[in-house]
Amino acid sequence: MNKTTKRSLKMRFQTKIDHGDHTDSYEFTTRGELFHKGSQDYLRFEEVLSENESVQTTMKWDGRELMLIRQGAILMRQGFIVGEETLGRYVTSDASWETTASTEKLLVQWPTGKNRGRIQLTYKFALQGQETGTHSVRLTLEEDTSK
């Protein structure tokens, strides 16, 4: 059994939500770690929402499905499989909603050496049956050699 090797990464997270009549954008940079366990790859990072609220985000990739798991001020679990509609859940301190994602595009490339990696994800999202728009997520990943 081989030991889990963690790699430190620098990442840029960009998301764009197209609501038809307007578009929202959100972007941040952070550090994270990438590791392999069993037959899956894991990308873990922290997202700071406000001065006293943050979310620990884990993306689990098995070669077919990207599972998004968020824990902290927001609890969320949502899978993404190209061409399929998947069920999930989004929970805040005020409420809990069922979610669905219809994934149109999913690309996962981990960084190797000096080459950057990326995750691209495009999906239609619904919260409790209400469409929230088309979400386009892009993560740019590169090895963090400063450590």
Side-chain angles (χ1 to χ4, degrees), residues 46-55 72-74:
E46 185 176 37
E47 182 182 351
V48 177
L49 302 177
S50 67
E51 196 174 297
N52 22 331
E53 289 187 321
S54 67
V55 175
I74 295 168

Side-chain angles (χ1 to χ4, degrees), residues 40 45 60:
Q40 300 176 333
F45 59 93
K60 182 169 70 168

Side-chain angles (χ1 to χ4, degrees), residues 11-12 14 43 47 58 68-69 74 79 91-93 95 98 106 108 122 132 144-145:
M11 35 195 302
R12 183 171 170 207
Q14 300 166 282
L43 174 64
E47 182 182 351
T58 302
L68 175 67
I69 303 162
I74 295 168
V91 181
T92 67
S93 58
E98 183 178 89
L106 175 57
V108 177
T122 304
T132 64
D144 184 356
T145 55

Side-chain angles (χ1 to χ4, degrees), residues 7-11 33-35 42-43 108-119 139-144:
R7 295 159 54 195
S8 293
L9 300 178
K10 289 188 281 190
M11 35 195 302
E33 58 185 22
L34 174 64
F35 59 96
Y42 293 81
L43 174 64
V108 177
Q109 293 176 323
W110 300 126
T112 54
K114 293 187 187 294
N115 295 328
R116 288 184 173 177
R118 62 188 170 146
I119 296 175
L139 281 83
T140 306
L141 314 165
E142 64 180 285
E143 297 274 358
D144 184 356

Side-chain angles (χ1 to χ4, degrees), residues 36-42 59-67 80-81 106 108 110:
H36 186 81
K37 187 176 177 183
S39 62
Q40 300 176 333
D41 294 309
Y42 293 81
M59 292 181 155
K60 182 169 70 168
W61 172 244
D62 67 6
R64 179 175 175 262
E65 179 180 30
L66 183 69
M67 178 61 71
F80 300 94
I81 302 171
L106 175 57
V108 177
W110 300 126

